[in-house]
Every structure is written in C-alpha cells, then in structure tokens.
C-alpha cells in the first residue's frame, strides 16, 4: 500500500529513445506528470503480476492517453492471466482511440530487440508472475589507435568499418581483420527487475552479473515468517540474492508501510554493501562498467535539466 | 485527467466526527495519506457517476483497508449502475476483511441523519449521475439573556432546557415556552456537490441558498461548444448557476488540464464574485453565517495543527 512518502510499484527504464514501464500502480500517471519525464506516450508496459498494487494505474493512464487523442498502439506484456485481467479492466477504460495489444509471456520467453533482449524469468510469488531481465548485446572492443597506426591504416572510413567489426582491404592489398585493432568485446549493461517474490534460485540465475538488480524487500528479518507466508522477501534475503548473483547494485523497493527505508538498507548492507533504497523520483544512472557502473541520483527524475543521462550518448557508443 | 498540480476528483466533507468522501479518483488514498486527515477508515463514500476519473481510487483504497485488517463495514452510494460497476471492480479488489454495502440512489432520494439530511439530485451529464446536497437542520435561535433575566428565569438547568427548545415550569408555577427567550431559528449549513454536468435547473434548485456549491468548470467560454458536446460546464455557466441559486460561495473543480485556475476564477467572477478554485489540499471552512460564512483555507489539509476546524466546536453548538 502507498504511504505519504512512497508511491506503489512502477519503474521506468529509459534507454536511448526507449521508455519501458515496469508495473503501473495507482497514481503512476501523476508521478510521471510530476517528474521531468512527463506523461509520455509509452509504447510498452511490462507487468510482473496481477496484484492490484502493480497495475491499478493502468486503466486511468490508458484512458488519459485516449482523452489526448493518442493513435499509436500500446503493448502490454505480462505473465499468463493478462487477457483475463483486461476483460475486467476494459469495463473501466472503455473504448480507446488506439489499439492495446496484449502479449502474455511465460518464464523463458525472450523479446529480441535491435541491440538488447528482454527475458521473462520465473519468480516465487505464489501466483502467475515473472521478472524481467534487460540484457544489452556486447559492444565492440575499444579501438587501438596505436595498433592501427603501426599497421599503417589511414585515418578515414577504413577505421570506422573496423570499429564496427568489419574487415577492410587497404589500397596496398592487405586485408585487415577487426580483431587486430579492437580490444576484447565489452559487455553491455544488464538490468533485472524481479517484481514481487521470495528469494529464488531463478532470480539469482537471471540476475547473474547484472549491473542493477531491482528487488523487493517487503519486510525486515524480524518479520521473516510473514515474508514466507506472503511469498515476499526480507531485505536480508534480497541482499543474499544480490550477493549470490554478483550484481553491481541492489535497488530495494516494495517496502511494507511500516518501514522507512533506512532500516531496510542497513539490514541488506550487512551482507551486500552496494544496496540502495530509492525514494520516489530517485533515478539510477546505469553507466557502463568502464565509466563507473550504476549510480543512484537522488531526485534524478525531478531535475529540470538532468546533467547526466542514463543512456549512452552518440559519442560514447562510437568511441 | 490529472495534472502535475491537480489530482482528479475527490472531496472530503468533515462534519463533527463524520468524514464523507465524495468521489474517489485515482490517487485519493495517497492524497489522504499526505494530508493531515490521514487514510482514515471512511464509513461512507458517495459517487456522483461512473466515469473512471471519479472512482478509480476506490478499488485500491478498499484493498488497503483490507490489508490493514479493517472490520467495520463501508457503504458506497451512487446512482443506478453501482452494482454493475462493482461486479467489474470486485475482480480487482477481491476478497476483503469487511463488508462493502452498495446503495443506489436516484434523484430525490434522501438519507435522514440525526441533524442533517443528504439529498441526491439530478444533474445533466448525459449518463447515470447525481449530485449531493448536505443540508443541516435549523439550529435553535439565539438565547436572549436580557429577556430571560426580565422574566426572572434563574441561571440553571431551566435555561439549558429552554435553549434546547423545551418548555419549563418555574418554582413559582409559571410555564415559560422557549419562543419567549429564543430568537428565530437559525439556519443550518448547506453544502452542495454537483459532480459533473452542464448548467442545470435541477442543480440551481438543489443549491438554493447553499453556503457552498462545489461545481465543475471543465472549460472556459472559449470552449463552450466543447462543454456542450461533453455535457460539462464552463466557468461562466457554473457561476450562472451559483448566482441563480444565490449561494454564498462557489468552489470550482474538475478543470480541463489546459487551464491553470486563475483564468477559470476570473471568468466566473465576472458574474459571481465569491468564486474560489481550490488547489489540492486547500480546505473550505464552512462557518455558520453569523460567524462569517465559508472561508477558503489555503493548504488547510496540510497544516499539522489546523487552528480552525470546519466543524462547530461543542461551545459553538451550545451557545
């Protein structure tokens, strides 16, 4: 349930020009309006499961889009049960000016995108539920200017082609393969949103080496029994998952209304130091590893002109 | 639709120990949590109609009450269609720890309470819809101390009885009727919530002499045609209703997201001066007429210790 300080579940992932919303609790459209993102015409929403605190913002948001005369379609993804849910929700939002596509995903299903993939994985919440892993493709290795100079590769289109992973033939007839001037491929980023659930092997597997694991911590250890009964995690359990998966940062959310955040962070940090408990409108800048890795930006979604973008600029991509 | 500055429709009426909620848009439970009222165990919610922006906060709020283990029943009132709506909503909020009673009200239906009545009246919104008038019983007249002294009525229980409207027999055998020491009965207060709709004779009738008329002003006159098409009012039209009904204060709400409030107030005030456009968390202190009438209190629902209560204190009632 919400508190005065904390809205219920909704996480927006920004990547390049894409905006992916994960869960859409009551009030999400207004949180977006209040943020520096605005209530943009989202193309895709991913639901983790169908407890009301994860989707109740959807009918109102769909209705608002319609009142604005939206015509681009929207796709809602979720575990089995999505069509059933929308039979009930349609009664609420009625006829829209655009198409709503529903796509049910089972654990193991994968969406292949141009340079990343989105994987649905099993979680342990006792109901039809999935988590989502956003996994970028590896990037080409760093271009070795000295090696290129030594090989006599002229500054020009040949270097660009090599950087993109293509072989080139020089005017003197030599063929240069990219591996001679490129360092090892550099990993892409990986962000894992586990949704609700108790600590699970499937989450550890899906979150392996992630830059950021967004995990619930509904309770602290003092309520461990309650966590078991309700198929939720304690902060310590979430930290255990993060440690086992060797993620770079653990972001805890979905706190019971009796917790304020500090105690949750402290409990998790006893075994996993790089834990954050973001507040409403905080952002996490998922920088590439060589640029320092993930960084919590307090109030990052409220800054009028964010001085740092959580996406690679054209220069970074091309470097 | 909501804006960053304005939540959609929900008005809480506080009167003595009672808390009546009129409409319950998305986000209402969190607005209550953020206010100095808190998310109290509301006993009664009154819906004006079933457009999503007037009830979408209800399923989440009902669910939250249940998560807190509530056991007192709640009654939801609304125009015909309420049962149908709840068939869809039940799919969302599921099994609750308490009973939800549904009571459909038609225009003309009246709820009689101890010292006020609640009247449902017709509005012109093109769908099943009602407005609500909260009408307090008249209060006994002012006690005329000089007259009582002149009649030789001793200071004591006799004066209390007379003040309550009872006749008393004095030790000397004389019977005094209350009209000899009480001024004319003083009117109770009247607050009218018209919900959504175009300007209507039925609203003027229901709002006659009200202390406060809460009326929608979705548009300004420049969009008068659109107001007609959508069965909404312009600010000027709402002001016309207030003027015709001779209300004391007009409070405008339900502004289209293209308006900020100032322009709406200005348009209405050209024909009805006592117009306010409350912002989120503003309150209106509905003082008795002899105490100055209604007063807008900016941020009144955010003050940690409100120095003025919009309900009569025991002293005021007894005076």
């Amino acid at each position: 349930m919400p508190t005065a300080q904390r809205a219920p579940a909704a996480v927006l992932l920004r990547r390049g020009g894409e905006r992916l919303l994960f869960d859409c609790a009551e009030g999400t459209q207004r949180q977006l309006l209040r943020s520096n993102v605005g209530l943009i015409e989202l193309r895709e929403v991913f639901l983790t499961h169908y407890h009301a605190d994860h989707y109740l913002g959807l009918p109102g948001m769909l209705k608002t889009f319609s009142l604005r005369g939206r015509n681009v379609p929207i796709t809602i993804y979720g575990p089995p049960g999505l069509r059933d849910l929308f039979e009930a929700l349609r009664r609420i939002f009625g006829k829209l000016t655009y198409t709503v596509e529903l796509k049910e995903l089972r654990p193991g299903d994968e969406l292949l995108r141009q340079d990343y993939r989105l994987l649905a994985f099993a979680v342990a919440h006792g109901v039809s539920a999935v988590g989502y892993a956003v996994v970028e493709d590896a990037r080409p290795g760093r271009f070795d200017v000295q090696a290129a100079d030594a090989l006599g590769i002229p500054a020009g289109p040949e270097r660009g082609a090599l950087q993109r992973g293509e072989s080139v033939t020089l005017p003197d007839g030599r063929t240069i393969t990219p591996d001679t001037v490129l360092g090892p491929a550099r990993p892409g980023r990986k962000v894992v949103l586990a949704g609700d659930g108790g600590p699970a092997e499937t989450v550890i597997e899906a979150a392996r080496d992630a830059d950021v694991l967004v995990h619930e911590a509904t309770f602290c250890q003092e309520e461990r029994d309650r966590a078991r009964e309700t198929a939720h995690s304690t902060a310590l359990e979430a930290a255990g998952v993060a440690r086992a998966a060797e993620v770079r940062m653990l972001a805890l959310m979905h706190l019971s209304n009796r917790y304020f955040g500090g105690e949750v962070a402290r409990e998790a940090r006893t075994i996993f130091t790089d834990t954050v408990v973001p507040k409403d409108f905080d952002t996490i800048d998922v920088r590439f590893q060589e640029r320092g890795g993930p960084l919590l930006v307090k109030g990052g979604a409220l800054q009028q002109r964010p001085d740092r973008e959580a996406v690679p600029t054209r220069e970074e991509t091309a470097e």
Side-chain angles (χ1 to χ4, degrees), chain A:
Chain A
M1 59 183 98
T3 70
Q5 287 73 38
R6 278 195 309 272
V11 176
L12 184 73
L13 190 117
R14 298 190 267 187
R15 181 179 179 279
E18 286 185 298
R19 303 288 182 264
L20 311 181
L21 182 65
F22 292 88
D23 285 334
C24 184
E26 181 179 352
T28 300
Q29 61 173 329
R30 198 166 183 224
Q31 293 287 95
L32 281 169
L33 284 165
R34 296 173 69 193
S35 77
N36 59 17
V37 177
L39 184 53
I40 48 175
E41 307 270 280
L42 294 162
R43 303 297 182 93
E44 299 185 304
V45 179
F46 298 85
L47 300 178
T48 59
H49 64 294
Y50 308 125
H51 285 153
D53 58 323
H54 291 256
Y55 69 78
L56 256 180
L58 209 42
M61 180 185 282
L62 295 179
K63 192 79 194 162
T64 294
F65 286 148
S66 194
L67 286 167
R68 298 199 308 202
R70 171 178 179 140
N71 49 38
V72 294
I74 193 170
T75 306
I76 317 287
Y77 298 88
L82 184 63
R83 280 167 211 292
D84 277 0
L85 175 73
F86 267 74
E87 272 178 38
L89 296 188
R90 236 176 255 286
R91 164 73 176 78
I92 295 172
F93 61 74
K95 205 169 156 48
L96 302 174
T97 57
Y98 58 96
T99 310
V100 177
E101 274 193 74
L102 302 178
K103 291 199 179 159
E104 294 192 348
L105 297 176
R106 287 164 195 280
D109 283 351
E110 206 170 39
L111 304 175
L112 291 173
R113 303 290 165 92
Q114 191 174 356
D115 51 3
Y116 71 95
R117 61 207 167 91
L118 215 150
L119 182 75
F121 61 87
V123 299
H125 196 37
V127 294
S128 182
V130 293
Y132 295 99
V134 179
V135 185
E136 288 183 334
D137 296 345
R139 294 166 293 148
R142 192 177 290 276
F143 190 81
D144 186 338
V145 178
Q146 284 187 314
D149 288 347
L151 286 165
I153 301 168
E158 289 85 355
R159 291 195 178 196
L162 285 163
Q163 200 165 0
R164 289 191 300 273
E166 301 161 17
S167 295
V168 295
T169 302
L170 298 184
D172 61 15
R174 280 182 301 152
T175 292
I176 310 287
T177 54
D179 58 293
T180 54
V181 291
L182 292 185
R186 289 171 298 174
R189 293 165 298 185
K190 178 171 173 178
V191 172
V192 175
L193 302 109
D196 283 12
E201 275 300 325
T202 52
V203 177
I204 295 173
E205 270 170 54
R208 181 83 56 206
D209 283 326
D211 291 276
V212 180
L213 168 61
V214 182
H215 200 285
E216 67 132 291
T218 310
F219 301 108
C220 281
Q221 280 294 99
E222 69 201 41
E223 293 193 274
R224 195 183 163 185
D225 292 346
R226 201 146 164 241
R228 281 298 71 71
E229 286 159 25
T230 55
H232 282 299
S233 293
T234 67
L236 192 73
E237 289 168 341
V241 169
R243 189 173 61 173
E246 299 183 86
V247 306
R248 256 157 229 96
M249 175 185 273
L250 170 65
L252 296 176
M253 57 180 283
H254 200 271
L255 279 54
S256 158
N257 67 345
R258 79 197 57 192
Y259 298 108
F260 292 93
E263 70 284 63
V264 171
R266 276 191 297 279
E267 179 174 303
R269 286 180 189 144
T270 59
I271 64 165
F272 192 80
T273 311
D274 295 324
T275 301
V276 296
V277 183
K279 295 185 192 307
D280 286 14
F281 303 114
D282 285 353
T283 57
I284 295 172
D285 184 353
V286 189
R287 302 175 301 189
F288 287 111
Q289 287 176 41
E290 71 271 19
R291 296 188 162 254
L295 178 74
L296 180 72
V297 182
K298 289 196 175 285
L302 293 174
Q303 295 163 2
Q304 278 313 299
R305 292 176 183 205
D307 51 0
R308 98 170 40 255
E309 264 280 38
V311 292
T313 60
R314 201 162 302 175
E315 285 148 279
E316 281 179 276
T317 313
E319 102 188 335

